[in-house]
């Protein structure tokens, strides 16, 4: 017996009956969730008053184990509540429906335009994809993280591979789940219970035994999916208005070629269709700018299997390369590394970001020398930004090299992906360690 659906792969939209582990997993979740909710209700009944401080310094009154970030957002404005993706409580990402446990020194409500909110949004959509993968393929889920632009989910399905013909079925199921506005339910569980819940999935058991050192961790449920996950997530699947399965490939468990082969399915999602259409247009434009396509069509260079990572220049490509080399030699006379970098990047129409990476936890040398070096780099960045309108820099704490601070410069490509290229590093340990002197 199979549930019908408009799919291209000739497989049923949902396996009927569904995999047995879905019901077994759900029964244990309901039992433990009821116990958890009873405990939270008892704590909330104490009526302990708390104060929630917003970023602008204003405060809101609340009750511990009762008041949620979403309730605070609603008290500010319905527009903020409707557009909220996730909360940040005392610097920690926090589910909008998760009650505060005590006074809050800092509450921030993040919308989709915030990078951390995008990662949460894409992570939540990965769970929706995971729910579709389980019901359509019956496979065992592995990792399903957000990535720079979108998300993916790895699935163990030795009997059947994912192909583009499967995408419509997955998207049909995902549309069903988002339309249902399935809530994301968080539950703290003991490791012993988790091993019982995921006894059907060897990969989740490996994560629990090898990666999770704590005696308790969390799972999240949306619809039929219950997944081992630290979260946090959006309030419900209805927040995900537009999505697309973009590609699939094979992968290996934890990237190790000697381990099991998995099916990796990628996707992208947005809070509205307009953003999805803009993304699709951007992808189309980026495809036209694909260097491999342009290089071949304009006879600039070619690749060969003998050296797949290195381009072989044709005469036209060699001419461009030599011209660029001459250009860099001329600009090497520009005083200051930052000015040189800015001159080159803006010449090619790139926008760039500046980040100051400071002293890491493990470092060489004296703190006073690090402080002095970081101060010099800050002065240089401030002077550069003052001289270049619209330019600013950000702090990247504890990300410097072990021997000195650095300025990392990233540029954005046609697909709006950031790539780190130039780095200006200050190594003041080298002369000390090798007893070198400048003359």
């Amino acid at each position: 017996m199979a549930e019908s659906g408009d799919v291209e792969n000739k497989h049923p939209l949902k396996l009927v009956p569904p995999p047995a582990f879905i019901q077994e997993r759900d029964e244990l979740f309901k039992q433990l969730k009821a116990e958890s909710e009873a405990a939270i209700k008892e704590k909330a009944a104490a009526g302990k008053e708390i104060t929630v401080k917003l970023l602008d310094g204003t405060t809101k009154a609340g009750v511990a184990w009762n008041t949620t970030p979403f309730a605070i957002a609603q008290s500010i404005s319905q527009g903020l509540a409707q557009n909220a993706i996730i909360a940040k409580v005392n610097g920690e990402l926090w589910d909008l429906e998760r009650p505060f446990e005590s006074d809050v020194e800092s509450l921030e409500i993040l919308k989709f335009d915030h990078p951390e909110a995008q990662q949460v949004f894409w992570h939540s959509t990965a769970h929706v994809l995971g729910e579709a993968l389980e019901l359509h393929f019956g496979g065992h889920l592995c990792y399903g993280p957000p990535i720079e632009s979108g998300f993916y989910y790895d699935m163990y399905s030795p009997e059947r591979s994912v192909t583009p013909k499967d995408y419509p079925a997955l998207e049909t199921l995902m549309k069903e789940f988002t339309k249902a506005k399935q809530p994301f339910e968080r539950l703290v569980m003991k490791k012993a219970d988790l091993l019982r819940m995921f006894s059907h999935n060897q990969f989740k058991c490996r994560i629990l035994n090898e990666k999770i050192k704590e005696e308790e961790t969390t799972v999240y449920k949306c619809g039929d999916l219950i997944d081992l996950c630290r979260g946090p997530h959006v309030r419900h699947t209805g927040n995900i208005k537009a999505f697309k399965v973009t590609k699939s490939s094979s992968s290996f468990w934890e990237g190790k070629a000697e381990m099991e082969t998995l099916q990796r399915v990628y996707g992208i999602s947005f809070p509205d269709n307009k953003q999805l259409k803009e993304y699709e247009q951007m992808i189309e434009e980026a495809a036209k700018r694909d260097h491999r396509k342009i290089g071949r069509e304009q006879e600039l260079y070619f690749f060969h299997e003998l050296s797949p990572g290195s381009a072989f220049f044709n005469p036209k490509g060699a001419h461009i390369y030599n011209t660029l080399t001459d250009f860099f030699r001329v600009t090497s006379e520009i005083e200051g590394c930052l000015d040189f970098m800015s001159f080159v990047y803006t010449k090619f129409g790139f926008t760039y970001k500046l980040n100051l990476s400071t002293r890491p936890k493990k470092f060489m040398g004296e703190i006073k020398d690090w402080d002095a070096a970081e101060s010099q780099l800050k002065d240089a960045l401030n002077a550069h930004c003052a001289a270049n309108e619209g330019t600013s820099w950000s702090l990247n704490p504890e990300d410097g090299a072990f021997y000195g601070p650095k300025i990392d410069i990233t540029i954005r490509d046609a697909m709006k992906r950031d790539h780190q290229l130039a780095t200006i590093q200050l190594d003041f340990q080298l002369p000390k360690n090798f007893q070198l002197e400048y003359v």
Side-chain angles (χ1 to χ4, degrees):
M1 180 178 178
E3 183 171 320
S4 63
D6 183 16
V7 295
E8 296 182 8
N9 60 20
K10 308 304 180 186
H11 290 275
L13 193 58
K14 295 180 184 178
L15 296 175
V16 180
F21 63 78
I22 291 181
Q23 182 178 349
E24 295 167 1
R25 192 174 59 188
D26 192 61
E27 289 174 354
L28 180 57
F29 180 90
K30 287 179 179 178
Q31 173 195 333
L32 298 177
K33 181 68 172 176
E35 296 173 4
S36 173
E37 288 181 342
I40 292 174
K41 187 176 181 180
E42 184 177 345
K43 292 178 181 178
K48 180 183 176 183
E49 296 182 355
I50 61 172
T51 299
V52 179
K53 186 181 293 185
L54 307 181
L55 286 183
D56 61 4
T58 59
T59 59
K60 297 281 186 179
V63 177
W65 296 98
N66 187 306
T67 305
T68 65
F70 186 71
I72 298 295
Q74 284 182 309
S75 72
I76 298 172
S77 76
Q78 283 299 322
L80 176 62
Q82 289 173 2
N83 291 303
I85 299 297
I86 202 69
K88 207 167 187 179
V89 178
N90 298 333
E92 178 186 352
L93 290 175
W94 195 275
D95 296 294
L96 287 167
E97 295 285 10
R98 179 182 172 187
F100 302 116
E101 299 171 9
S102 59
D103 288 330
V104 175
E105 292 298 319
S106 172
L107 170 64
E108 187 176 2
I109 304 296
L110 306 184
K111 296 187 286 188
F112 187 76
D113 58 359
H114 194 286
E116 288 182 287
Q118 291 175 6
Q119 289 292 288
V120 170
F121 191 89
W122 289 329
H123 186 190
S124 298
T125 317
H127 278 236
V128 178
L129 171 62
E131 184 179 2
L133 288 170
E134 280 194 342
L135 291 174
H136 185 66
F137 287 88
H140 296 310
L141 300 181
C142 301
Y143 289 112
I147 52 179
E148 186 176 9
S149 292
F151 55 91
Y152 71 79
Y153 224 122
D154 281 344
M155 171 185 66
Y156 182 62
S157 177
E159 296 84 12
R160 182 176 157 204
S161 298
V162 181
T163 72
K165 290 184 178 181
D166 298 309
Y167 301 173
L170 294 174
E171 290 175 352
T172 297
L173 287 171
M174 293 173 71
K175 186 177 293 185
E176 175 188 323
F177 304 151
T178 55
K179 187 176 181 180
K181 297 183 178 180
Q182 300 169 343
F184 277 89
E185 302 177 69
R186 178 179 184 269
L187 178 63
V188 179
M189 292 181 59
K190 295 178 181 178
K191 186 181 285 190
D193 290 329
L194 288 165
L195 287 168
R196 182 156 59 106
M197 174 176 279
F198 294 105
S199 60
H200 65 280
N201 188 325
Q202 60 177 315
F203 304 97
K204 299 295 183 183
C205 289
R206 289 180 196 172
I207 295 172
L208 285 165
N209 289 321
E210 300 171 12
K211 307 291 185 182
I212 307 298
K213 304 304 180 184
E214 304 86 354
E215 286 305 311
E216 291 185 333
T217 190
T218 54
V219 296
Y220 278 81
K221 171 180 169 64
C222 65
D224 287 320
L225 177 70
I226 302 172
D227 201 7
L228 182 64
C229 178
R230 295 187 184 278
H233 286 284
V234 299
R235 290 180 60 230
H236 56 71
T237 57
N239 294 127
I240 306 165
K241 306 291 187 184
F243 49 83
K244 183 177 182 179
V245 176
T246 55
K247 64 178 180 178
S248 58
S249 64
S250 62
S251 63
F252 297 107
W253 170 251
E254 296 194 333
K256 300 174 182 177
E258 67 274 15
M259 303 300 284
E260 294 90 347
T261 299
L262 310 175
Q263 302 295 312
R264 177 169 295 181
V265 184
Y266 292 86
I268 187 70
S269 62
F270 296 96
D272 58 65
N273 281 307
K274 180 183 176 183
Q275 293 183 66
L276 177 59
K277 290 179 180 178
E278 290 174 350
Y279 173 83
E280 290 174 331
Q281 291 172 356
M282 180 189 70
I283 294 298
E284 290 178 8
E285 290 299 315
K288 297 175 184 177
R289 296 179 174 88
D290 189 323
H291 67 278
R292 295 163 297 185
K293 177 175 178 286
I294 294 173
R296 182 178 65 254
E297 292 176 349
Q298 298 186 7
E299 299 180 353
L300 303 178
Y301 49 79
F302 65 92
F303 292 91
H304 194 278
E305 61 181 8
L306 292 177
S307 183
S310 177
F312 293 88
F313 287 106
N314 292 320
K316 293 179 182 178
H319 174 73
I320 294 176
Y321 177 83
N322 291 331
T323 302
L324 288 172
T325 301
D326 291 339
F327 168 73
F328 291 141
R329 287 172 184 165
V330 171
T331 55
S332 64
E333 298 176 6
I334 299 175
E335 293 185 5
C337 294
L338 286 170
D339 289 339
F340 169 62
M341 173 276 304
S342 178
F343 178 81
V344 172
Y345 288 168
T346 55
K347 204 74 174 177
F348 288 95
F350 289 124
T351 57
Y352 61 88
K353 296 179 182 178
L354 301 168
N355 296 284
L356 174 58
S357 299
T358 58
R359 183 179 70 248
K361 292 182 179 178
K362 294 183 179 180
F363 62 92
M364 293 177 61
E366 302 293 329
I367 290 182
K368 62 181 179 62
D369 293 332
W370 277 86
D371 290 342
E374 290 173 5
S375 178
Q376 292 174 25
L377 292 183
K378 287 179 183 178
D379 291 342
L381 285 166
N382 288 331
H384 176 79
C385 293
N388 294 268
E389 187 177 353
T391 304
S392 62
W393 61 275
S394 302
L395 195 63
N396 193 10
E398 300 183 354
D399 200 46
F402 70 91
Y403 51 79
K406 59 180 180 173
I407 298 173
D408 293 320
I409 301 101
T410 60
I411 68 166
R412 179 159 288 191
D413 66 12
M415 295 180 67
K416 297 184 179 180
R417 298 174 302 185
D418 291 324
H419 302 273
Q420 182 181 321
L421 294 185
T423 298
I424 300 172
Q425 293 182 309
L426 184 57
D427 185 354
F428 49 88
Q429 307 297 335
L430 188 65
K432 290 183 180 180
N433 291 332
F434 287 91
Q435 299 179 352
L436 303 176
E437 294 183 1
Y438 296 99
V439 295

